[in-house]
Amino acid sequence: PREVERETFQNTTVESRLRVEYSQFQMSQTLALGVRAGVNRMRRFEGGPGSTGSDFDMKLYGGTWERALRFGSMNAAVFAENLIHVTDRLSVTPGIRFEYLRSTADGYTEVDSKFAPRTFAYPLAGVGAEYSITSSTAIYGNMSQAYRPILYASLTPFGSTLRVDENLRTARGYNVDLGWRGTAGGVLKFDVGAFYLSYRARIGTKSVGNIVGRFLGTANIVDSR
C-alpha cells in the first residue's frame, strides 16, 4: 500500500502603511507608520495507509493517520520609522517595531509531545545614518535588532531518545554595518562595507547526560558571531 500524506494551508494577512511628510529644521522630513495582522492555519496528516491500485487515490484504506497535527499562528506588529534630515548632508533614521506571536498545535505523533500554546512579544529597534561627503558619494551606518522564534520542529522530539530543554528560549541578535558608496565618473557604482552580526542563543542539538545515561537534547547551544 502507498503511504498517503496530506497538507492544507490557510493564510490571511492585512497590512496598512501611512507616510507623513512634514517640515522641521527648515527641511522636509518623512515619518512612516504601519500595522500588520495575520492568521495562519496548517493541517498536516502523514503515514496513512493508501491504495494499491493503478489510479491516483488519496483515500485511506484499513487504518488511520500515524501522525495528525493542526497548527495555528497569529502575528501582529506595529512599526514607526522617521527619516530626519539634520542638515543637507546628514540624515538619521531611527525606527522601532513591536512583534506579537501566538502559536498553537494539537494532534498526535508517534512520540509523546506537549502542545501548549506559546506566546512571544518582542520590541525591536534600529537606527541608520548617512552623510554625503560629495554630491556623488556618502558614508553610512546601520544597526538593527532581530529575532528567530522557536519553531515547532525544535519542540518536537524526533525519536524516543531526544529531549527538549524546558528552558529553551528564542534566539536574538543584532546586525551593525558601516560603508562608503557612490558613483565614480558617472559610470562606476561602488559600495564598500563591513558588518558585524551577532546571533545569540542559537538552537541546536547536543549530547547531554544524567543518571540514566547519555542522550541527544534540543537546547540553546551557541552564540554565533
Side-chain angles (χ1 to χ4, degrees), residues 38-53:
V39 177
N40 309 296
R41 297 183 179 89
M42 175 183 175
R43 305 292 184 265
R44 175 182 293 168
F45 304 97
E46 299 176 340
S51 66
T52 59

Side-chain angles (χ1 to χ4, degrees), residues 10-11 38-43 69-75 101-106 117-118 152:
Q10 277 186 329
N11 303 309
V39 177
N40 309 296
R41 297 183 179 89
M42 175 183 175
R43 305 292 184 265
L69 295 165
R70 297 172 178 84
F71 301 99
S73 66
M74 184 182 73
N75 170 235
L101 290 167
R102 179 175 172 82
S103 299
T104 60
D106 64 81
R118 282 181 168 258
Y152 171 79

